């Protein structure tokens, strides 16, 4: 794999900030789970889930991300995980209820509202249970909130506009509701910046 500055920066600076969120997701993973992860990024969560679950299928639209994730999986001899370059808006390659659990973290806020709702609705068809991890729209004032907003501002463009709309709309609770999902449990992490919700 050729060197990717974007992947390098994400692995060195963003992935470490999300370690608490990943630990919270892992608390809901069972040994028999067949998992679909949407927008897996560089694969940190997928690889962690593969240590607990029966099998993980992880998708991302970025070929760079998938190449980096697959390389890490190979180095760690992770045999129960598949990384695939796929568009999250089209999950037709998977059958209904093919997975026990579908997971999406730190991605809903990146999508335009209609697309985010569509993706969550599709995930609901493919798995019995949905786990969403993203920003809490009730972030407490402080350096953690300021850092989150700064990171999103630096991303700029549509990303930042979608993030602001996500917060204004009511965060993952709004999007889960619009997709027909019922939140059965939730936990706040990262000093109130992140929330992880388990839905059905």
């Amino acid at each position: 794999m050729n060197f990717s500055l974007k992947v390098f920066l994400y692995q060195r600076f963003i992935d470490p900030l999300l370690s608490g969120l990943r630990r919270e997701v892992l608390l809901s993973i069972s040994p028999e789970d067949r998992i679909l992860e949407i927008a897996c990024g560089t694969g940190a969560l997928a690889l962690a889930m593969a240590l607990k679950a029966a099998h993980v299928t992880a998708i991302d639209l970025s070929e760079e991300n998938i190449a980096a994730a697959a390389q890490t999986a190979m180095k760690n001899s992770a045999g129960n995980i598949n990384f695939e370059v796929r568009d999250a808006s089209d999950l037709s390659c998977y059958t209904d209820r093919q997975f026990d659990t579908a997971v999406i973290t730190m991605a809903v806020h990146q999508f335009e509202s209609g697309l985010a709702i569509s993706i969550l609705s599709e995930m609901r068809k493919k798995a019995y249970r949905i786990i969403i991890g993203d920003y809490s729209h009730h972030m407490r004032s402080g350096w953690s909130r300021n850092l989150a907003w700064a990171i999103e501002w630096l991303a700029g463009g549509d990303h930042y506009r979608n993030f602001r709309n996500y917060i204004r709309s009511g965060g993952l609770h709004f999007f889960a509701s619009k997709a027909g999902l019922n939140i059965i449990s939730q936990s706040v992490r990262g000093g109130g910046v992140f929330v992880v919700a388990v839905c059905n």
Side-chain angles (χ1 to χ4, degrees), residues 17 135-136 139-152 163 189-194:
L17 293 175
Y135 290 116
S136 169
M139 294 186 208
R140 295 194 295 269
S141 297
W143 75 268
S144 296
R145 180 187 185 279
N146 294 341
L147 177 60
W149 276 83
I151 289 171
E152 296 304 316
F163 163 74
R189 302 289 299 196
V193 171
F194 306 118

Side-chain angles (χ1 to χ4, degrees), residues 10 21 37-40 60 88 102-121 123 130-137 152 158-167 169-179 181 195-197 199:
Y10 196 94
L21 184 146
E37 185 186 5
I38 304 297
C40 67
D60 198 281
V103 178
I104 185 168
T105 60
M106 299 312 292
V108 173
H109 75 271
Q110 298 182 34
F111 298 125
E112 178 273 327
S113 294
L115 179 58
I117 294 165
S118 176
I119 289 170
L120 290 172
S121 297
M123 291 171 65
I130 311 297
I131 300 175
I132 310 169
D134 215 307
Y135 290 116
S136 169
H137 73 289
E152 296 304 316
D158 289 338
H159 186 116
Y160 185 52
R161 281 190 291 274
N162 291 337
F163 163 74
R164 290 174 63 195
N165 181 62
Y166 167 90
I167 295 295
S169 297
L172 68 78
H173 297 83
F174 168 81
F175 289 95
S177 174
K178 287 293 183 181
L181 294 170
V195 60
V196 175
C199 314

Side-chain angles (χ1 to χ4, degrees), residues 49-121:
M49 291 190 295
L51 294 175
K52 290 192 69 175
H55 191 272
V56 177
T57 298
I59 70 169
D60 198 281
L61 191 58
S62 167
E63 293 183 9
E64 288 178 312
N65 284 345
I66 291 298
Q71 186 176 56
T72 304
M74 191 181 305
K75 286 180 181 175
N76 289 280
S77 301
N80 63 333
I81 187 167
N82 291 335
F83 287 104
E84 303 173 359
V85 178
R86 293 199 184 278
D87 188 335
S89 66
D90 181 9
L91 302 180
S92 60
C93 58
Y94 306 115
T95 60
D96 288 358
R97 299 296 191 247
Q98 181 175 339
F99 301 94
D100 299 297
T101 303
V103 178
I104 185 168
T105 60
M106 299 312 292
V108 173
H109 75 271
Q110 298 182 34
F111 298 125
E112 178 273 327
S113 294
L115 179 58
I117 294 165
S118 176
I119 289 170
L120 290 172
S121 297

